[in-house]
Amino acid sequence: MNITAKVVTAGAALLASMVAKKATDGTWSFVTGKDVPENPDDPEIDIKEAVIFAVLSGALVALARMLANRQATKVLSKSQGKSRAQVADEA
């Protein structure tokens, strides 16, 4: 178990999620011209709007986390002199 790999990939995933949240909010406001739904679970919000927001935010968060994990694995493999597969298995 490589604690460094776990800490770095967890930190990268957390940072990526925060960046994705900002990107989701900005994209939503730009495309719809509306504020981001405060609570998509609220029955007052149109179901189509809630579903579209959920799909957009989920896709951006998943994409950002995947890219961050790939980059973290690349950096760790280079710094530890291991293959990317070895680092990915340890994380």
Side-chain angles (χ1 to χ4, degrees):
M1 174 172 73
N2 185 340
I3 194 73
T4 303
K6 289 188 181 299
V7 169
V8 169
T9 54
L14 182 63
L15 182 61
S17 294
M18 290 188 298
V19 169
K21 168 86 171 94
K22 292 283 188 186
T24 300
D25 293 352
T27 301
W28 183 262
S29 297
F30 178 76
V31 171
T32 66
K34 299 179 184 178
D35 290 334
V36 175
E38 290 295 318
N39 182 5
D41 297 333
D42 184 354
E44 296 290 320
I45 294 178
D46 182 50
I47 187 70
K48 289 189 296 188
E49 185 175 339
V51 168
I52 292 169
F53 182 77
V55 169
L56 174 67
S57 62
L60 288 178
V61 167
L63 178 63
R65 289 185 65 180
M66 185 260 315
L67 292 173
N69 282 336
R70 288 175 60 96
Q71 189 62 32
T73 300
K74 182 178 177 181
V75 169
L76 285 169
S77 69
K78 199 176 232 185
S79 70
Q80 295 177 354
K82 297 180 180 179
S83 73
R84 291 181 187 174
Q86 287 174 315
V87 173
D89 288 342
E90 293 174 355

